[in-house]
Amino acid sequence: MTDSGQIRDVAEEWRVLSSETPFQGRVTGVRTDEVEMPDGSTARRDYQIHPGSVSILALDSQQRVLIVRQYRHPVRQRLWELPAGLLDVPGENPLHAAQRELYEEAHCKAGEWKVLVDFYTSPGGTDEALRLFLATDLAEAEGDRYAAHGEELEIEVARVPLAELVALVLAGELHNPTLITGTLALHAALTSGGLDALRPADSAWPARPFRAG
C-alpha cells in the first residue's frame, strides 16, 4: 500500500510511436496517438487537444457565490456554471484571463484573488487543464458592460448562498463539473484550514506554464 505522504500526481510520458491530428477546429482539435504500453503492445488513444481554461468562484461578503447560466449544446441543457473562459492566447497569465472573464460575464471585479484548485477536466479524453480561482472583495466593474455576442447574449447571472449550492450539488440538481468542484472545494477550505491556506493567485501551474506579471 502506498504511504499517504506519497499521494501526489507525477509527470510521466509513455512512448508515442506516431501522432496525427485528424481534425483541428478554431480552438480545439482531436489528436490520435499510437502509444507503446508497458507490456510492449500498442494502443490507440484519441483525445481532444485544448489550450486550457480558467474559472472563477466569486464569493461576496454575504457568502453568496456568483453563478451564470447559459445553453450548452452538446448536452442540450441550460446549465448553471461559474464564470470561465479559454486560455486561447499562448502563455497568457491565467489570473489576467480570469479577471477578464469575470468582467465580461458578470461586469464584476475582485480585490482579492487566490487559487482554489487546479484540475484536468476529463483526463481520459482531453488534455484540458483548468485553474479555478477564488475571488473575494467583489465590486461592480467600472465602465461599459462587455458587448456580448452569440450564446453569451443569453447568459443569466445569480448569487446563491454557498450552503444552498452545496445542497443542490448533492441533490443532483447541478451538473457543471467546474461549479461542482469549486463549490465542494470552497466548502472544504472553509471547514478545514480556512481561506488563508489557499495558494497565491500567481502560483506556478506546471500544466499550463505562463508569463509572470
Side-chain angles (χ1 to χ4, degrees):
M1 181 178 292
T2 302
D3 182 85
S4 61
Q6 299 177 11
I7 300 297
R8 57 177 56 85
D9 296 333
V10 295
E12 184 174 339
E13 185 171 357
W14 293 357
R15 184 183 177 199
V16 176
L17 303 175
S18 66
S19 183
E20 60 177 331
T21 305
F23 170 77
Q24 179 62 57
R26 183 179 63 85
V27 176
T28 68
V30 174
R31 180 170 293 160
T32 297
D33 290 344
E34 198 74 23
V35 182
E36 184 176 12
M37 299 289 103
D39 64 0
S41 64
T42 62
R44 171 175 161 166
R45 294 290 181 261
D46 302 319
Y47 58 99
Q48 180 193 41
I49 49 178
H50 195 286
S53 305
V54 292
S55 186
I56 309 97
L57 193 155
L59 184 69
D60 69 17
S61 59
Q62 300 177 53
Q63 295 286 288
R64 298 179 303 174
V65 177
L66 189 156
I67 58 176
V68 298
R69 183 162 68 170
Q70 56 183 318
Y71 176 66
R72 293 304 188 185
H73 185 70
V75 295
R76 308 308 200 265
Q77 291 197 34
R78 191 181 293 271
L79 299 179
W80 285 107
E81 306 176 347
L82 298 177
L86 297 169
L87 289 170
D88 46 8
V89 178
E92 182 177 18
N93 187 303
L95 175 59
H96 298 168
Q99 291 169 333
R100 179 185 67 242
E101 294 299 333
L102 186 60
Y103 156 70
E104 290 183 357
E105 294 195 8
H107 197 66
C108 187
K109 65 178 182 179
E112 297 290 336
W113 292 81
K114 288 183 177 292
V115 174
L116 181 56
V117 67
D118 296 327
F119 62 100
Y120 293 107
T121 58
S122 183
T126 176
D127 68 353
E128 180 184 6
L130 188 145
R131 169 156 283 189
L132 176 51
F133 290 93
L134 173 67
T136 55
D137 187 20
L138 304 184
E140 185 173 355
E142 294 94 357
D144 297 332
R145 288 186 173 273
Y146 173 70
H149 58 279
E151 62 187 14
E152 294 175 344
L153 290 169
E154 301 297 318
I155 287 180
E156 302 171 58
V157 180
R159 296 195 184 200
V160 181
L162 176 61
E164 184 177 333
L165 275 184
V166 171
L168 289 167
V169 166
L170 298 179
E173 299 293 340
L174 301 172
H175 303 90
N176 177 270
T178 306
L179 175 58
I180 292 171
T181 299
T183 296
L184 300 182
L186 178 59
H187 176 71
L190 289 170
T191 55
S192 57
L195 301 186
D196 289 341
L198 296 176
R199 289 171 290 158
D202 60 355
S203 295
W205 188 18
R208 291 293 187 272
F210 59 91
R211 297 187 298 269

